[in-house]
Structures are given as structure tokens and as C-alpha cells.
Amino acid sequence: MHPLIEVPALDRLLRRQANVVLLDVRWHLAGPPGIESYRRGHLPGAVFLDLDRDVAGPPGPGGRHPLPGPADFEAAMRRAGVSADSLVVVYDDADSTAAARVWWSLRYFGHEQVRVLDGGYRAWTEAGHPVSTDEPEAKPGDFVADPGRLPVLDAEGAAELAGAGVLLDARAAERYRGEQEPVDPVAGHIPGARNAPTSGNVGVDGRFLPPGLLRERFAQLGATDALDVGAYCGSGVTAAHEILALHLAGIPAALYVGSWSNWVADPGNPVATGDG
């Protein structure tokens, strides 16, 4: 299944009353909670998903957004109405940063029928489609979590990949270089990692670049389907966006879920600064 869906295709599905579960996962690293945006207006029938509560485990040494336990993720998806035969369509404000983490998580836990609304809520409203303030109560689903369906990295694996393959750092360049670090206690990057900010995966409208342009972008960073590739960010959210962009480019890649927040939790892990 193609990982993206465009607004016209989603509109046609909803008009046919297809078995679609709409998940609104608007989330802001800094700013008002996503639930406030949801309550002001969302796609009709969409259920709000809290990224911190429903798509990640409690923060700690494993990172700020570690993998949730299978039972916890299963329960969250069932509350949202996800069943084995559901087509899940997930969206956020525009650039799919948060939506990609849900896409990745559902696939990691064994649900293949999941797509990201390219351009998100903004694309839907700019196309003139209606929104709703009703908060539907989802019919409980029967989703069963089957973890391990996508490759992941731990700190040791990330360090090895940075030397033997290609490890992409999906954060902004100034965080990668160690010039500023607004969230984690240590600034810098994993030695050997290459900077590939997720902002370069999308256009100004928040939609993903065409696959050919994405392939060119990653090839310039040394990432091709001929090498082992992985990605990390601050806490494993925007890195999932990088994994999705790599997938669109035809490049399989592993996610370091704990990412920088897990890396710096161990003072023995080395830190690099500058352009690398």
C-alpha cells in the first residue's frame, strides 16, 4: 500500500463510506496541545490521538518518546477504532511530522493498511472541504499488536551504522552542529552521522517531494538502497518522517527510536559537534 493519500482520494473514500479510521495526531513540540487544534476543527469523523500518551511510552532513559509497550499501543489503537481490516488514515497540521510517527508505529506493530494524508489538515481545508467540531466516540476496534515488523536501532546499533553504513540525523542543522539544543541536556550529534533535516523532505505546502527528488537528496548524503541506512532525531518523532521519506525514495531504513535523548542519557557515549 502506498504510504500517502491525497485529499481528493480521501474525499472519495469517505463519500463511499469506506471502512476508514481517521486519526488526527496534531502535535506541537512547543506550543498549545494538539487537542486544542482538534477541538477548533478537524476532518469529520476523525478521532484525536495523543502522540505523547498513545504513540510513545513514558519518557526516561530510553528517550523522550520511546516505543510504547505492545499492550499499551494495542489498547490505544482499539480505543481509536482500529481493527484488523481498517484502512487507517492519519494526519497532522501539514508536514506529516507527527503523522509519520503513527504511520511507522502502526506498521512496526503489524498493521499494513495505514496511509498519511499528504499536506494534512491544511491541504484538506485549502481544498474547501468541511471540518467538524463534533468529537465522535469510536467503536472499539480489534487491533492486535505484533511488534518487530520494522527494523529499529539501539545506541550500539546506531554507533555501528554511523561507521559502516549511513546514519542520518533528521534535526535542524544548528542542533546537529551543537550550536543550540532547546530540549536535551547535551548539544551535538552522534559521531559519523550525516545531517538531513526533515524540512528538506517536503515543499512549502507541507507535501512530500516527488520520489525522484527525494532519491537525489538522499543520494547526495550517501544514502542509497545499496547501503544500510538508519535515522534518528531528538526523540524518534521527526526521524520517523525521515524513514517515510526514505521509503518513498525506495530506500529501506531503520529507526533509532530513542534517538538523541537516549544517546545522551549515557555519559559514556561520544558527542561530536560542527559539520561532521
Side-chain angles (χ1 to χ4, degrees):
M1 175 171 289
H2 195 280
L4 302 181
I5 187 169
E6 301 292 336
V7 166
L10 176 59
D11 182 53
R12 288 193 296 271
L13 282 175
L14 297 178
R15 288 177 184 275
R16 294 207 314 262
Q17 297 183 328
N19 183 18
V20 178
V21 174
L22 279 176
L23 300 180
D24 182 313
V25 68
R26 281 178 282 178
W27 171 83
H28 313 103
L29 181 60
I35 186 64
E36 294 182 10
S37 298
Y38 173 81
R39 286 172 176 159
R40 286 195 297 268
H42 50 264
L43 272 64
V47 175
F48 180 71
L49 204 63
D50 188 303
L51 188 142
D52 296 308
R53 180 193 66 207
D54 300 325
V55 194
R64 283 185 280 111
H65 291 103
L67 272 172
D72 293 333
F73 187 75
E74 180 178 294
M77 293 304 105
R78 288 187 175 195
R79 286 195 302 270
V82 179
S83 291
D85 60 350
S86 300
L87 168 61
V88 179
V89 176
V90 58
Y91 69 89
D92 54 31
D93 281 318
D95 66 3
S96 302
T97 296
R101 173 65 186 253
V102 180
W103 168 84
W104 183 90
S105 298
L106 277 163
R107 294 194 64 229
Y108 174 83
F109 282 106
H111 193 79
E112 294 289 337
Q113 297 187 90
V114 54
R115 305 180 78 176
V116 170
L117 178 60
D118 201 17
Y121 181 78
R122 187 169 72 192
W124 179 265
T125 56
E126 287 180 349
H129 294 297
V131 297
S132 173
T133 56
D134 294 338
E135 299 185 26
E137 184 173 341
K139 178 183 177 182
D142 61 15
F143 170 75
V144 176
D146 181 18
R149 306 294 289 274
L150 290 178
V152 294
L153 297 169
D154 57 13
E156 182 180 359
E160 292 177 356
L161 189 59
V166 176
L167 180 65
L168 299 177
D169 185 316
R171 298 172 300 163
E174 58 270 19
R175 291 183 70 188
Y176 169 83
R177 293 192 297 262
E179 296 167 357
Q180 62 175 261
E181 181 45 66
V183 186
D184 293 306
V186 180
H189 60 267
I190 297 173
R194 308 174 191 186
N195 191 213
T198 53
S199 58
N201 296 329
V202 298
V204 294
D205 59 359
R207 291 179 172 87
F208 280 93
L209 299 178
L213 290 181
L214 289 171
R215 280 193 294 274
E216 289 179 14
R217 180 187 191 222
F218 292 123
Q220 291 173 358
L221 293 160
T224 71
D225 59 2
L227 296 171
D228 290 331
V229 178
Y232 76 98
C233 58
S235 67
V237 176
T238 54
H241 188 279
E242 197 95 298
I243 299 294
L244 176 50
L246 287 159
H247 180 83
L248 292 169
I251 304 170
L255 176 64
Y256 179 15
V257 183
S259 284
W260 187 246
S261 56
N262 168 247
W263 182 267
V264 298
D266 182 350
N269 284 331
V271 171
T273 56
D275 286 323

